[in-house]
Amino acid sequence: MPASYDLIIRNATVASHAGIGPADIGVKDGRTAAIGDLATADAGEVIDASGLHVLPGVIDSQVHFREPGAEHKEDLATGSQAAVLGGVTAVFEMPNTRPSTTTAEALEDKLKRAAGRMWCDHAFYVGASAENAQDLADLEQLPGCSGVKMFMGSSTGDLLVWDDPTVLEVLKHGRRRVAIHAEDEERLKQRKHLADEGGVHQHPVWRDEETALRATTRVLKLAREAGRRIHVLHVTTAEEMALLANHRDIATVEVTPQHLTLAAPDCYDRLGTYAQMNPPIREARHRAALWDAVRAGIVDVIGSDHAPHTAEEKAKPYPQSPSGMPGVQTLLPLLLDHMNAGRLSLERLIDLTSTSAQRIFGIAGKGRLAVGYDADFTVVDLRKSWQIDEKWLASRCGWSPFAGQDIVGKPIGTIIRGQRVMWEDTLIGAPSGQPVRFQEAL
Ligand code: DOR
């Protein structure tokens, strides 16, 4: 009797734990069941992936989908449509919604809203505050929670833990890795006049290198004191990378495609407040240092920090304009383009977008293309030349800083637990995203 699968992907170039080469993939009950020559096997569905690469599903561990409270910018349905159209199979969503996700009830509310509406698998961060610090050990164990997020500097929303005693209190409650927005609130307040005195070119002057470095230095010391692992989000400076290289035992590192692609002053000349985000896009010296850190292995993951605001909001005069730009749909295209330009290998791209998320967040059963893991695949045409068109974007905000950019390399398909949810720019079926599970909270 020939082996039988629910789905076989034939004639692909498969990027798995074993390397990159020709293979078929068999899927059964939502999991990868076989990788190899399946020429004699049967299947309910067959996908011919000739000329295409099949990668482990891309995981975006930093997105803001704005629901509840700011659905005019984005919601869980539109944000997750953007994700799967960009080849992303799972997202971790941030807690700076309205209300902030600081309680079990708020987390439960997000999970209920996601059920039957989100297109990709998902988990939600719980936001740290002075009020919930004592509860975080319990909150981080709840199903569907990707961990705790702490804002050390004010950004969009009202989550803030700025002083050392409270940062330490947060770090002492719980065991899982804590995700950190590292900007020093006191320095931001002292220097706010610099923002008020000029246009958007002042953004990286106000929120300068020292603002980021001070917060990262403080949180590393406090994490060591608390014996707690941290994940420093969207690192933007050469100085922080040099520091983080000496703390690899307790700290993991994220960079964003925006910080790897754009540089000041050009981005502010071209895009004005549309290039405004926290921490800011800085000059080319820092962008070069971020690439050095990618090559050196200091960077663990790439997250998009998808942070949509409407064009009307972004067009307000600086500094009333909100910080943040969309990115979940352009994360993989930009990285494929950087790969084709020779800035990173396909193996490193996969490490940054799947394997490392599995490793550092302890995701259960995802993040590897291997037998027994969820059949989450991102199918790409590595050589396709195309242009990012605003009409292709699904985010409710309707714009991208990368619209009009020529790209080599395109997501062709998104397969989640064996179900095709996107093929050639078209959504397939109904939204059936599920909560991601974590090893430390099984
Ligand atoms: O630019 C940013 N926008 N940085 C953040 O930390 C928050 C985000 C948002 O939610 O708009």
Side-chain angles (χ1 to χ4, degrees):
M1 266 250 302
S4 177
Y5 300 96
D6 301 329
L7 166 71
I8 293 182
I9 303 175
R10 290 201 195 281
N11 308 319
T13 302
V14 175
S16 74
H17 63 287
I20 300 174
D24 305 323
I25 304 173
V27 174
K28 208 165 176 148
D29 299 328
R31 300 218 185 110
T32 300
I35 306 169
D37 182 355
L38 305 180
T40 59
D42 294 335
E45 184 187 358
V46 174
I47 298 175
D48 179 7
S50 304
L52 302 175
H53 280 65
V54 181
L55 319 183
V58 169
I59 297 165
D60 187 346
S61 46
Q62 191 189 176
V63 303
H64 302 263
F65 282 174
R66 306 302 190 203
E67 180 178 349
E71 290 92 340
H72 67 287
K73 301 176 200 267
E74 193 78 284
D75 66 25
L76 295 172
T78 56
S80 60
Q81 285 170 10
V84 300
L85 286 163
V88 171
T89 55
V91 296
F92 300 172
E93 205 268 343
M94 284 292 168
N96 58 335
T97 41
R98 278 200 308 269
S100 301
T101 320
T102 52
T103 62
E105 293 69 37
L107 178 70
E108 185 60 31
D109 177 52
K110 280 194 173 174
L111 286 162
K112 280 206 184 109
R113 289 166 179 271
R117 286 179 57 235
M118 279 188 83
W119 287 79
C120 58
D121 286 354
H122 46 267
F124 298 99
Y125 289 95
V126 163
S129 69
E131 292 71 37
N132 76 357
Q134 314 278 333
D135 307 328
L136 290 171
D138 293 331
L139 290 171
E140 71 171 11
Q141 290 296 320
L142 294 172
C145 177
S146 45
V148 171
K149 160 79 181 281
M150 175 158 53
F151 282 90
M152 294 174 70
S154 301
S155 195
T156 303
D158 49 20
L159 284 169
L160 181 64
V161 179
W162 65 274
D163 63 307
D164 282 5
T166 316
V167 171
L168 187 60
E169 193 69 3
V170 167
L171 293 172
K172 280 186 170 166
H173 288 88
R175 295 190 53 78
R176 293 175 66 185
R177 194 177 288 280
V178 181
I180 309 287
H181 180 120
E183 289 187 286
D184 186 278
E185 180 68 9
E186 279 187 297
R187 188 170 171 89
L188 286 178
K189 278 211 217 117
Q190 283 158 10
R191 294 163 59 84
K192 178 73 201 313
H193 63 95
L194 293 167
D196 298 329
E197 283 161 11
V200 70
H201 287 79
Q202 287 293 93
H203 198 57
V205 178
W206 167 37
R207 304 179 88 108
D208 68 346
E209 290 96 329
E210 183 62 25
T211 301
L213 182 62
R214 273 194 198 178
T216 298
T217 306
R218 285 172 48 216
V219 75
L220 283 168
K221 181 170 161 290
L222 294 165
R224 216 164 264 295
E225 193 176 328
R228 192 80 186 268
R229 285 166 290 169
I230 56 171
H231 179 55
V232 188
L233 298 162
H234 41 43
V235 174
T236 57
T237 68
E239 291 77 7
E240 287 169 285
M241 287 300 182
L243 176 67
L244 286 159
N246 293 322
H247 295 273
R248 299 290 286 142
D249 54 340
I250 57 163
T252 49
V253 173
E254 180 201 71
V255 294
T256 75
Q258 299 87 293
H259 292 105
L260 289 170
T261 306
L262 304 173
D266 165 72
C267 66
Y268 302 112
D269 295 343
R270 274 193 311 114
L271 300 164
T273 48
Y274 288 85
Q276 176 191 336
M277 68 176 292
N278 302 330
I281 311 288
R282 307 188 190 280
E283 66 265 39
R285 161 176 99 82
H286 291 293
R287 181 176 58 184
L290 302 186
W291 277 112
D292 286 345
V294 167
R295 280 186 284 268
I298 299 167
V299 176
D300 290 282
V301 297
I302 308 255
S304 73
D305 193 8
H306 176 84
H309 299 283
T310 65
E312 193 185 356
E313 291 161 342
K314 288 297 266 183
K316 287 184 187 166
Y318 184 81
Q320 284 102 57
S321 43
S323 291
M325 48 182 111
V328 70
Q329 197 171 339
T330 50
L331 178 151
L332 181 62
L334 288 172
L335 288 181
L336 290 172
D337 192 61
H338 284 304
M339 185 202 80
N340 279 306
R343 294 188 189 99
L344 78 170
S345 65
L346 182 60
E347 289 87 342
R348 181 62 169 131
L349 185 154
I350 292 165
D351 182 41
L352 291 163
T353 56
S354 306
T355 328
S356 287
Q358 194 280 332
R359 172 173 59 83
I360 71 181
F361 292 97
I363 300 172
K366 289 187 183 292
R368 281 169 72 79
L369 204 167
V371 168
Y373 277 72
D374 284 359
D376 296 347
F377 309 129
T378 300
V379 183
V380 297
D381 181 341
L382 288 187
R383 301 281 170 248
K384 188 175 174 68
S385 293
W386 59 296
Q387 195 178 64
I388 295 175
D389 184 335
E390 275 189 355
K391 290 204 282 295
W392 176 70
L393 301 168
S395 171
R396 182 163 290 148
C397 78
W399 61 276
S400 162
F402 304 108
Q405 187 161 321
D406 292 323
I407 298 283
V408 181
K410 190 162 196 279
I412 300 296
T414 306
I415 296 171
I416 303 179
R417 287 170 283 98
Q419 298 293 321
R420 251 204 277 208
V421 297
M422 184 279 283
W423 201 262
E424 291 180 341
D425 301 334
T426 305
L427 297 171
I428 298 173
S432 54
Q434 294 286 325
V436 174
R437 296 178 312 130
F438 296 89
Q439 291 160 354
E440 289 168 275
L442 286 176

